């Protein structure tokens, strides 16, 4: 999914959130079938956005790992290690 599509999903979710607030104020009953239907649609969008963000994070992690591997392989006289979240380069 592209950045534009993600942005459109977020805008749609924001619209649904505003609509839910208005409906709750007007109807005063959060279990009204109309409110439940809009809430379920918002839930589906939230899950879709979470999946997209997870996929993006996994992709970035994979790209980062491949870059570290290339760096480590290109410097045979150095030892690359990770301690916590810090990368250390030890020259031989």
């Amino acid at each position: 999914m592209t950045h534009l599509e993600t942005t459109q999903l977020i805008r749609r979710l924001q619209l649904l959130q505003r609509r839910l607030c208005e409906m709750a104020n007007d109807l005063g009953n959060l279990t009204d079938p109309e409110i439940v239907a809009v809430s379920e649609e918002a839930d589906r969008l939230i899950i879709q956005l979470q999946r997209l963000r997870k996929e993006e994070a996994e992709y970035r992690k994979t790209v980062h790992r491949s870059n570290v591997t290339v760096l480590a392989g290109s410097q045979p006289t150095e030892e690359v290690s990770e301690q916590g979240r810090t990368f250390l380069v030890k020259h031989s």
Side-chain angles (χ1 to χ4, degrees):
M1 184 163 274
T2 66
H3 178 71
L4 179 60
E5 291 169 315
T6 302
T7 302
Q8 290 172 341
L9 282 175
I10 292 169
R11 286 186 182 145
R12 175 73 178 144
L13 181 58
Q14 290 168 338
L15 177 70
L16 289 175
Q17 289 171 329
R18 279 193 293 276
R19 185 171 172 207
L20 278 170
C21 288
E22 292 169 3
M23 291 172 73
N25 287 333
D26 293 343
L27 298 172
N29 179 6
L30 297 179
T31 59
D32 183 280
E34 289 181 55
I35 291 179
V36 172
V38 174
S39 178
E40 288 173 345
E41 185 178 350
D43 289 344
R44 285 189 293 273
L45 289 177
I46 290 168
I47 290 168
Q48 192 174 358
L49 284 166
Q50 287 174 333
R51 284 183 183 144
L52 287 172
R53 289 185 174 157
K54 181 181 177 186
E55 289 171 5
E56 289 172 3
E58 288 172 357
Y59 173 76
R60 277 190 241 112
K61 190 175 181 181
T62 302
V63 169
H64 176 71
R65 281 186 185 159
S66 67
N67 288 341
V68 170
T69 302
V70 170
L71 173 65
S74 66
Q75 300 294 332
T77 60
E78 298 175 345
E79 179 183 320
V80 178
S81 63
E82 182 180 359
Q83 293 180 353
R85 289 197 140 330
T86 305
F87 286 95
L88 302 172
V89 178
K90 180 180 177 184
H91 295 277
S92 308

